[in-house]
Amino acid sequence: MNEIDSNSLAKIVMNWCDQLTAISSNPDNISRFYLTPEHKRCNEQVAQWMQDAGMETWVDAAGNLCGRYEAQDPCAKTLLLASHLDTIPNAGAYDGILGVLVAIAAVKILNDSNTRLPFAIDVIGFGDEEGTRFGSTLLGSRAVAGTWNPDWWQLNDRNGVSLQQAFIDFGLSPDEIKNAARAPDDILAYLEVHIEQGPVLEDENLALGIVTSIAGARRFSIDISGYAGHAGTVPMNMRKDALVGAALGIVKIETIAKEYNVVATVGKISCGPGAVNVIPGHASFTIDIRSGDDQLRDQALAKIQHELDMICVARGLSVRWQEIHNAPAVVCADWIQELQTSVLCDMDVTPYKLMSGAGHDAMALADSCAVAMYFVRCKGGVSHHPDESVTEADVALAIEALSRTLEKLSQ
């Protein structure tokens, strides 16, 4: 592909990203949620860009925007190029959105040169990845994967609107949700371009990276019970301080996570009774532990549980664990990683490989087909924040890498 094409298209993609920032429920920031008027307006705008790039467009039964670029053979399999168009509240301009628009740019290159491939391309802008409105993530991609859970119909947003009612208000029929599912036999593979949302590529001074896996995450709520007492009258060696037990456990979590090369986070903690002159009789905290290797993650978790048990036994405390989330790791297809490596080497870009600690729509499709991802460097590793930033030069490289990947797939 001509370098001038990628540079000019990168400028267009950056402009598209800027235009979508204005489609928001809040005039002061970017806030665009599933099955809202803003979602509909975003679909309409991006559909126009898809059509200009030579695609036929439609909104599927889950509210996802789809654009199709037909193959040489109408019976050929379909490559899915996708990411999401929804945001968190007070979002950045590129999380999810950049991947959809880079995919449109890659199809535009094919269309402008009257090139058809031995497979069809469907670019999908998923309506819900973040889970902001209804609390359950990946609704758009799970519908496409055919793993929609009927229990979700009863989910309510903060205004009490059910997911089922939101479908109807958006002009969709809940009874037709199954029509959003893609048959696995019809899919060649799934490929997603996404900002890294972390600092690794920037630290390596690289614009692009190849994702090896998406971390499997487990989350727990942990309750420690001790005995509340007067802060001035109970000697230190006689206390059953639940908060001290929690604090020692949290330090162990950090130590063990480093030892096993996993990531573990305590993001929430509370204690009671909560008075300045009372020994805490109860403490609770959460743990989020992730790794690209489920077995390694669970080994680290088992050691954390053992160490916390020992701390509580030694201090006369009791501990209770409740699992609140469990998602297995997703491994990106080796054969696509090899192809991506070849593409980046041809571009004189170091084929750096890294795990994704964040979840992505690719996770939902992994049971249906081979999945792969390219990461694009983002400034400071900042994401889910208005300061989210990418460079036009990096976007140009992402467009070129995706275009070259399509070319190699066609061979």
Side-chain angles (χ1 to χ4, degrees):
M1 191 192 71
N2 190 304
E3 183 179 351
I4 296 175
D5 289 339
S6 64
N7 290 334
S8 61
L9 281 170
K11 188 181 295 293
I12 291 170
V13 166
M14 296 292 278
N15 178 262
W16 287 346
C17 289
D18 290 342
Q19 290 186 54
L20 293 185
T21 64
I23 302 178
S24 173
S25 62
N26 189 324
D28 298 323
N29 58 53
I30 308 170
S31 297
R32 188 169 55 250
F33 313 135
Y34 189 38
L35 303 177
T36 60
E38 294 75 36
H39 176 191
K40 189 179 291 284
R41 286 171 53 205
C42 182
N43 277 358
E44 290 169 352
Q45 177 59 83
V46 178
Q48 184 60 60
W49 296 331
M50 287 178 168
Q51 292 162 19
D52 292 343
M55 285 180 269
E56 174 192 354
T57 64
W58 71 98
V59 174
D60 74 10
N64 301 311
L65 174 64
C66 305
R68 184 170 184 82
Y69 189 74
E70 282 291 358
Q72 296 165 347
D73 178 356
C75 297
K77 291 194 174 188
T78 300
L79 175 70
L80 304 182
L81 302 180
S83 197
H84 60 97
L85 293 171
D86 68 317
T87 76
I88 61 159
N90 194 27
Y94 305 104
D95 175 9
I97 290 89
L98 182 68
V100 178
L101 303 183
V102 164
I104 296 172
V107 171
K108 179 174 171 56
I109 292 169
L110 296 171
N111 188 62
D112 287 352
S113 62
N114 294 313
T115 302
R116 296 284 169 175
L117 303 178
F119 50 85
I121 297 172
D122 278 5
V123 177
I124 306 177
F126 293 119
D128 176 274
E129 188 259 15
E130 300 289 5
T132 300
R133 185 176 179 189
F134 294 101
S136 187
T137 61
L138 307 177
L139 293 178
S141 48
R142 290 192 190 282
V144 170
T147 54
W148 187 270
N149 185 341
D151 292 343
W152 292 337
W153 293 123
Q154 307 310 314
L155 295 172
N156 293 320
D157 69 10
R158 64 180 182 178
N159 295 319
V161 178
S162 70
L163 179 58
Q164 184 171 24
Q165 185 60 50
F167 259 62
I168 295 167
D169 294 344
F170 197 77
L172 301 171
S173 170
D175 292 338
E176 295 178 4
I177 187 64
K178 61 182 180 298
N179 295 334
R182 303 297 185 97
D185 289 346
D186 294 339
I187 303 174
L188 173 64
Y190 173 96
L191 181 56
E192 180 171 359
V193 176
H194 203 285
I195 61 170
E196 182 196 349
Q197 300 181 278
V200 176
L201 290 175
E202 186 175 66
D203 189 59
E204 296 288 336
N205 194 29
L206 293 170
L208 303 175
I210 299 167
V211 179
T212 57
S213 61
I214 303 170
R218 295 181 72 181
R219 296 173 187 162
F220 295 85
S221 175
I222 302 166
D223 294 300
I224 296 179
S225 297
Y227 199 83
H230 195 291
T233 61
V234 181
M236 296 301 290
N237 65 340
M238 298 177 66
R239 297 185 177 202
K240 296 182 179 180
D241 189 324
L243 184 57
V244 172
L248 292 170
I250 291 167
V251 172
K252 282 289 185 183
I253 288 169
E254 181 184 55
T255 301
I256 294 167
K258 290 178 178 177
E259 176 187 345
Y260 281 81
N261 195 28
V262 302
V263 292
T265 304
V266 174
K268 183 179 180 182
I269 185 168
S270 63
C271 71
V276 67
N277 59 347
V278 180
I279 298 163
H282 174 265
S284 62
F285 61 95
T286 58
I287 177 173
D288 177 309
I289 183 166
R290 308 186 188 202
S291 172
D293 182 329
D294 287 344
Q295 184 177 4
L296 186 66
R297 177 203 61 199
D298 290 346
Q299 288 172 353
L301 178 63
K303 186 167 184 179
I304 289 169
Q305 290 173 320
H306 173 75
E307 293 291 339
L308 186 56
D309 284 346
M310 293 301 97
I311 289 168
C312 289
V313 168
R315 292 180 164 270
L317 307 170
S318 62
V319 60
R320 182 175 66 87
W321 290 67
Q322 179 184 6
E323 188 162 27
I324 54 178
H325 176 78
N326 189 331
V330 167
V331 178
C332 293
D334 288 339
W335 67 271
I336 308 180
Q337 287 188 57
E338 291 174 6
L339 189 147
Q340 291 172 287
T341 298
S342 176
V343 164
L344 294 189
C345 287
D346 289 347
M347 293 169 60
D348 292 324
V349 174
T350 301
Y352 188 84
K353 296 189 175 183
L354 70 167
M355 181 197 77
S356 173
H360 299 285
D361 288 301
M363 300 178 77
L365 273 297
D367 288 338
S368 299
C369 62
V371 302
M373 294 185 70
Y374 277 115
F375 270 169
V376 182
R377 170 173 52 190
C378 57
K379 184 177 180 181
V382 173
S383 183
H384 282 193
H385 190 279
D387 289 344
E388 211 169 71
S389 178
V390 297
T391 69
E392 191 175 300
D394 287 357
V395 172
L397 286 172
I399 294 169
E400 181 175 355
L402 184 57
S403 296
R404 287 175 178 261
T405 303
L406 299 179
E407 182 181 351
K408 281 189 180 290
L409 274 170
S410 69
Q411 297 169 356

